[in-house]
Amino acid sequence: AASALIPTAFHRLTSIHSMGSSPEVLSCRASSAYSHHQVSSASRLCAQVHRADPLCEMAACTRVACLVDMRRVGELFYLAHQLVDSRPRSAVSWFAVGAYYHLIGKNDLAQRHFGKASRLNPRSVEAWVAFGNAFAAQDESDQAMSAYRAAQRLFNGSHVPLLYIGMEYIRTNNRSLAK
């Protein structure tokens, strides 16, 4: 299966091509670990990337997602400030700020910052899904669905936006459309 090829590819990059400590390879490994729900492993890999290249944007969204999943409010607050201070015109910076506000339950502020992230980088699937989550947390289903559909258009073929669309249908008790 295709999922078996990923570890093989990482092994080849590490052992044959000596690229195991490359921030790009570590970022891809972190993203892969996170997508397989290995949050602590993804977090460790993101920390390695950060030590090697503190300004590496490839791992930033995964690092933010890990901090949210592990509910590390203080670390997320600090990271968001670092990102905004160093890259105020980067979508990832404002994604981190939005994630912080979403984590502490201030979804109106989260919406504002996820919106800014999606305006700075309209192709940021992470920002669109998070934007939808912030709307859903405020019971603003139409706006949530709009954000999830934008993510689906950008990331066609991925199950992630479709999963959130289905969850929103379930949350609004529309089970027939959730199928």
Side-chain angles (χ1 to χ4, degrees):
S3 63
L5 297 175
I6 294 172
T8 303
F10 286 135
H11 176 72
R12 291 186 67 182
L13 285 169
T14 301
S15 61
I16 297 172
H17 302 291
S18 301
M19 296 178 69
S21 60
S22 156
E24 292 80 9
V25 172
L26 290 171
S27 296
C28 290
R29 286 182 59 203
S31 179
S32 178
Y34 185 80
S35 70
H36 287 94
H37 308 291
Q38 299 166 349
V39 177
S40 59
S41 176
S43 181
R44 281 192 303 277
L45 289 164
C46 288
Q48 282 182 278
V49 172
H50 185 71
R51 284 191 298 275
D53 182 3
L55 298 178
C56 179
E57 282 201 26
M58 278 186 76
C61 281
T62 304
R63 186 168 182 215
V64 167
C66 288
L67 292 174
V68 169
D69 282 357
M70 295 184 295
R71 306 199 60 74
R72 293 193 178 156
V73 176
E75 286 180 58
L76 183 55
F77 178 83
Y78 182 71
L79 174 62
H81 271 278
Q82 282 182 316
L83 289 170
V84 169
D85 288 345
S86 64
R87 295 175 247 158
R89 299 285 307 146
S90 169
V92 173
S93 301
W94 298 104
F95 171 76
V97 174
Y100 167 76
Y101 282 119
H102 186 63
L103 183 57
I104 65 169
K106 294 188 175 184
N107 288 299
D108 54 331
L109 293 172
Q111 288 172 7
R112 185 178 317 156
H113 292 93
F114 289 141
K116 182 170 185 170
S118 67
R119 283 189 303 279
L120 287 170
N121 181 2
R123 301 205 49 82
S124 173
V125 174
E126 297 87 356
W128 283 109
V129 169
F131 201 17
N133 290 346
F135 280 121
Q138 296 282 93
D139 286 328
E140 297 177 27
S141 186
D142 290 342
Q143 292 90 338
M145 292 300 282
S146 179
Y148 296 146
R149 286 187 185 110
Q152 180 59 33
R153 283 191 301 277
L154 294 171
F155 208 33
N156 196 11
S158 170
H159 71 284
V160 175
L162 289 175
L163 176 67
Y164 282 100
I165 289 170
M167 288 178 8
E168 184 61 16
Y169 281 135
I170 289 170
R171 190 187 70 76
T172 58
N173 207 24
N174 197 338
R175 301 203 189 284
S176 62
L177 287 175
K179 293 178 183 181

